[in-house]
Amino acid sequence: ASSFGIEEALKELGVNETNNGTSTGKNWFSSGEEIASYSPVDGKLIGKVSATTKEDYEKVITTATEGFKEWRQLPAPQRGEIVRKFNDELRRLKEPLGKLVSYEMGKSYQEGLGEVQEMIDICDFAVGLSRQLHGLTMHSERPGHRMYEQYHPLGVVGIISAFNFPVAVWSWNTALAWVCGDACIWKGSEKTPLTSVACQNIAARVFSENGAPEGISCLITGDYTVGEMMTKDERVPLISATGSTRMGKIVAKKVAGRLGKTLLELGGNNAIIVTPDADIKNTVIGAVFGAVGTCGQRCTSTRRLIVHEDVYDKVKDAIVDAYQQIKIGNPLDENNHVGPLIDKDAVKNYQNALDKVVEEGGNILVEGGVLEGEGYESGCYVKPAIAEAKNEFEIVQHETFAPVLYLLKYSGDLENAIEIQNGVRQGLSSAIMTNNLREAERFLSVAGSDCGIANVNIGTSGAEIGGAFGGEKETGGGRESGSDAWKIYMRRQTNTINYTTELPLAQGIKFDL
Ligand code: NAD
């Protein structure tokens, strides 16, 4: 690993062999048992992090709650200025952080850099937003009255994130929450604890150098039990949770039980519809990148390709052919397209899915399998696979977080393809490949895709910061990142002001005293 500059990157990011956050200045307290982080790239131990105990958590939440009281008083553009300085640090540390993301999570170095770029982009967005955060004004029905609404900071925001975007998802939430005047407590994935430590080191340094109160960026470390400390805590008005639908259902119930707010970003089961009018070359590029990029571990990964029977054989041959060109190996080596899965459990899930699709009557077009031998010692490298299947197969209905692509055939009208596309419990990302304007518009219409993201002539995976990101149905309904997603991090207040000498009551009610 050292040949790829990992040791230098860790050093630059202040990540050590053993990391604990017991010093106050780091806004991170952890004194519990150690979590070891092994790289899926080469199976080696990268470092350890101690977990947050209940007592540690109390210190964190107290610091965050106190810090919030001061932070909310700072004018939003001044909060934006601190986020801008944080962004300067991200730009400076883009390469080491991108490298650590790649090494700890297993995505390609290019994708690791891309993830840090997303952090940079959302910070830019947030800085501009810090001069907006606007409410509306309305006309009052009463003479001499003014009515308007304003958005105030919400409080302490709890962020729970998944392993597959170990740094970007945190920043999508924090950059907005910070300019909105909130304090954030982050529980990253226990599978990628060192990237969390690296981010917290940057944030804590920038906040303290710029005179921000303690506790605006806090980190807690550990598994779901540490996450639960926040989900059941009334001092945390909003929980933003990214991960599996299974996790989302548990978190949603816990937080709803105390009438807290949730922002849920859960699993997807994304499809591309390929109509007879599709550009086949672009379809293949979009589908292959969507299915095998990040080793199929994006929430927006392409899982289903719904192809019209007239072009089915042509698309099938082209995709199978493209899969022969895929290079699998160390993601830090830029010659490879696909890195490892996150761990051996993920490998098992991948193998189960391939067994299951055959059991249900599917036909394997591109064989899967676990790679062995030199360079594959971690046991996490698998071959991207393709199976012909039916949408109603149980395994097709399920999100398998691995590079398994299901080829589904449709005949007749586009309506049949849309029915298949919408015929799953998840509703995150969707796409249509067509040069036919009528088809494209029908796909985007009220009777079209039911997903939070619907694209024309680009694939399902990846999204830009400027739009709101999220999905419907079992994907959880939350929206984060661009557009007006910031509103969830604030509380809305409607204000009516009477500037007359009278006190007229609403609806013309008379109340003579
Ligand atoms: P996961 O659900 O196993 O874990 C996600 C996070 O939730 C972790 O930090 C985990 O510790 C925490 N957690 C789990 N149970 C919890 C509980 N009961 N209370 C509190 N916290 C709990 O998911 P994963 O394997 O890390 O990530 C993969 C999943 O995430 C996929 O389903 C993927 O689609 C989804 N995902 C969705 C989006 C999106 O924006 N929609 C983005 C990235 C990943």
Side-chain angles (χ1 to χ4, degrees):
S2 57
S3 59
F4 291 101
I6 290 300
E7 270 151 39
E8 293 81 350
L10 288 169
K11 211 165 154 200
E12 232 180 319
L13 297 166
V15 175
N16 305 313
E17 263 164 51
T18 311
N19 302 276
N20 65 50
T22 40
S23 112
T24 352
K26 290 183 187 166
N27 300 318
W28 165 35
F29 301 90
S30 67
S31 57
E33 59 183 55
E34 285 186 327
I35 310 162
S37 179
Y38 294 93
S39 169
V41 173
D42 55 14
K44 290 188 182 141
L45 177 71
I46 318 174
K48 291 179 180 168
V49 180
S50 50
T52 300
T53 63
K54 278 209 173 85
E55 293 71 35
D56 296 331
Y57 176 74
E58 273 309 309
K59 285 187 206 155
V60 170
I61 185 74
T62 310
T63 316
T65 307
E66 284 305 309
F68 165 69
K69 287 184 193 153
E70 204 182 311
W71 183 241
R72 67 181 175 183
Q73 300 279 4
L74 202 65
Q78 287 183 34
R79 299 194 293 254
E81 177 60 12
I82 295 180
V83 171
R84 192 187 65 72
K85 289 186 171 145
F86 171 67
N87 200 3
D88 288 345
E89 280 298 279
L90 291 178
R91 286 176 204 271
R92 187 175 72 80
L93 295 166
K94 180 173 174 182
E95 287 181 12
L97 189 54
K99 210 165 267 185
L100 177 59
V101 167
S102 172
Y103 189 54
E104 192 177 38
M105 184 278 162
K107 65 176 65 178
S108 74
Y109 179 46
Q110 279 304 316
E111 289 173 321
L113 291 175
E115 201 179 325
V116 181
Q117 186 59 45
E118 281 189 21
M119 303 175 81
I120 293 169
D121 293 343
I122 192 72
C123 287
D124 279 345
F125 181 89
V127 174
L129 193 64
S130 73
R131 291 182 180 270
Q132 299 251 295
L133 304 174
H134 41 52
L136 299 171
T137 59
M138 301 85 177
H139 288 260
S140 169
E141 67 184 39
R142 287 166 282 189
H145 282 58
R146 185 163 76 82
M147 184 159 71
Y148 80 120
E149 67 180 6
Q150 55 178 340
Y151 286 86
H152 287 310
L154 186 65
V156 177
V157 174
I159 300 159
I160 295 171
S161 64
F163 77 84
N164 66 329
F165 276 91
V167 295
V169 167
W170 170 66
S171 66
W172 286 14
N173 285 282
T174 48
L176 298 192
W178 287 334
V179 298
C180 288
D182 301 327
C184 295
I185 302 180
W186 178 26
K187 196 205 83 63
S189 169
E190 59 273 39
K191 294 174 189 170
T192 50
L194 298 172
T195 50
S196 300
V197 170
C199 289
Q200 178 62 14
N201 284 346
I202 301 170
R205 189 172 65 240
V206 172
F207 276 80
S208 98
E209 278 172 9
N210 289 283
E214 276 228 18
I216 302 311
S217 175
C218 300
L219 178 67
I220 55 177
T221 40
D223 62 10
Y224 73 98
T225 54
V226 177
E228 277 181 349
M229 296 176 193
M230 289 199 292
T231 56
K232 58 185 190 201
D233 189 342
E234 285 173 8
R235 293 167 290 183
V236 185
L238 170 67
I239 296 283
S240 170
T242 300
S244 59
T245 296
R246 193 195 66 83
M247 174 278 290
K249 285 182 176 173
I250 299 170
V251 167
K253 264 190 214 149
K254 278 253 157 67
V255 181
R258 59 176 174 86
L259 297 182
K261 291 208 274 185
T262 47
L263 191 175
L264 299 172
E265 298 279 353
L266 312 174
N269 192 347
N270 319 295
I272 301 179
I273 295 174
V274 187
T275 83
D277 282 323
D279 178 322
I280 304 293
K281 187 172 148 264
N282 286 349
T283 299
V284 171
I285 299 170
V288 175
F289 175 70
V292 312
T294 326
C295 202
Q297 299 170 109
R298 286 185 180 215
C299 48
T300 53
S301 288
T302 308
R303 314 248 172 243
R304 300 174 296 144
L305 206 58
I306 306 166
V307 188
H308 193 273
E309 59 181 357
D310 288 356
V311 287
Y312 187 83
D313 287 338
K314 204 170 159 192
V315 171
K316 179 168 98 173
D317 292 348
I319 294 244
V320 169
D321 191 47
Y323 266 55
Q324 312 312 315
Q325 327 293 324
I326 295 170
K327 292 200 195 82
I328 308 158
N330 190 323
L332 289 158
D333 177 344
E334 292 184 49
N335 293 314
N336 292 321
H337 301 107
V338 175
L341 286 172
I342 184 70
D343 55 23
K344 288 192 178 148
D345 283 344
V347 174
K348 247 183 250 157
N349 289 340
Y350 154 88
Q351 286 172 313
N352 287 345
L354 290 176
D355 291 346
K356 196 84 200 297
V357 72
V358 172
E359 238 171 70
E360 291 194 82
N363 173 40
I364 302 283
L365 285 178
V366 175
E367 288 279 347
V370 183
L371 294 163
E372 284 170 9
E374 205 189 323
Y376 303 128
E377 290 85 356
S378 71
C380 298
Y381 291 86
V382 302
K383 294 187 205 159
I386 307 180
E388 290 179 295
K390 294 229 156 60
N391 201 51
E392 55 273 20
F393 289 180
E394 204 190 311
I395 192 65
V396 176
Q397 290 284 315
H398 178 83
E399 177 198 46
T400 301
F401 222 50
V404 178
L405 178 67
Y406 300 116
L407 221 55
L408 315 173
K409 195 189 277 184
Y410 82 96
S411 44
D413 194 72
L414 177 64
E415 214 169 272
N416 300 328
I418 293 174
E419 199 176 308
I420 296 172
Q421 129 75 31
N422 291 347
V424 291
R425 290 188 299 275
Q426 309 83 347
L428 183 53
S429 186
S430 61
I432 190 170
M433 303 301 278
T434 183
N435 286 327
N436 181 323
L437 178 70
R438 290 180 185 148
E439 285 182 334
E441 289 291 335
R442 276 171 67 198
F443 177 73
L444 302 176
S445 77
V446 288
S449 164
D450 64 1
C451 291
I453 297 166
N455 297 331
V456 176
N457 290 338
I458 62 167
T460 60
S461 104
E464 288 184 35
I465 284 306
F469 182 88
E472 300 299 320
K473 302 194 285 185
E474 283 199 354
T475 302
R479 291 296 186 279
E480 56 193 27
S481 186
S483 185
D484 64 352
W486 59 270
K487 287 183 177 170
I488 195 158
Y489 304 98
M490 303 198 84
R491 62 185 171 84
R492 182 197 299 234
Q493 187 175 66
T494 303
N495 307 109
T496 311
I497 303 140
N498 173 6
Y499 56 89
T500 70
T501 53
E502 308 295 315
L503 183 55
L505 302 177
Q507 288 91 40
I509 291 172
K510 296 269 177 283
F511 193 73
D512 292 327
L513 291 172

